[in-house]
Amino acid sequence: MRTLCASTLIGEFFVIGFAGLVAMKLDDASMTVVWTVCGIGMVLSVLLCGMITRPGGVQLGWALQVALVLSGFVVPTMFILGLAFGGLWWASIHYGRRIDAAKADWAARQEAEEATA
């Protein structure tokens, strides 16, 4: 699960950065506010890569997904990208857990075979 989720979060790192470049061109927000918010989101996405297997890591990831969708109120394209990354986040968690379970099952069978051999 960790690898899939980390890949999604690194993709979000770049999307948040590019959204910051787009938001800079808006007249409504100052550059300081835009890069403070984007910087926090980018740092959070990188930090979550290491925290994903710890308690609360997945929930923080969901919070980041919600924030990404809500950023569509500033940059409308982020509605679409936020939903796309939300789907990727769900798939990373869902299929990552299945892969982890399959790996654990395979490792248990290998241990059982080695014990009988």
Side-chain angles (χ1 to χ4, degrees), residues 3 8 13 15 39-40 51 54 68 70 92 95 105 109:
T3 303
T8 301
F13 172 86
V15 167
I40 290 170
M51 295 176 46
R54 296 182 184 203
L68 211 58
L70 292 177
S92 298
Y95 292 112
D105 183 48
R109 280 190 273 142

Side-chain angles (χ1 to χ4, degrees), residues 33-53:
V33 171
V34 167
W35 286 113
T36 300
V37 171
C38 288
I40 290 170
M42 292 170 78
V43 168
L44 182 60
S45 67
V46 171
L47 290 177
L48 276 172
C49 290
M51 295 176 46
I52 204 64
T53 56

Side-chain angles (χ1 to χ4, degrees), residues 1-5 88-103:
M1 179 175 85
R2 182 181 174 134
T3 303
L4 291 175
C5 289
L88 286 172
W89 183 250
W90 175 85
S92 298
I93 293 168
H94 179 74
Y95 292 112
R97 286 181 176 157
R98 289 175 119 186
I99 290 168
D100 290 347
K103 282 183 181 179

Side-chain angles (χ1 to χ4, degrees), residues 7-23:
S7 299
T8 301
L9 290 167
I10 293 301
E12 287 179 11
F13 172 86
F14 289 108
V15 167
I16 293 168
F18 291 134
L21 292 173
V22 172

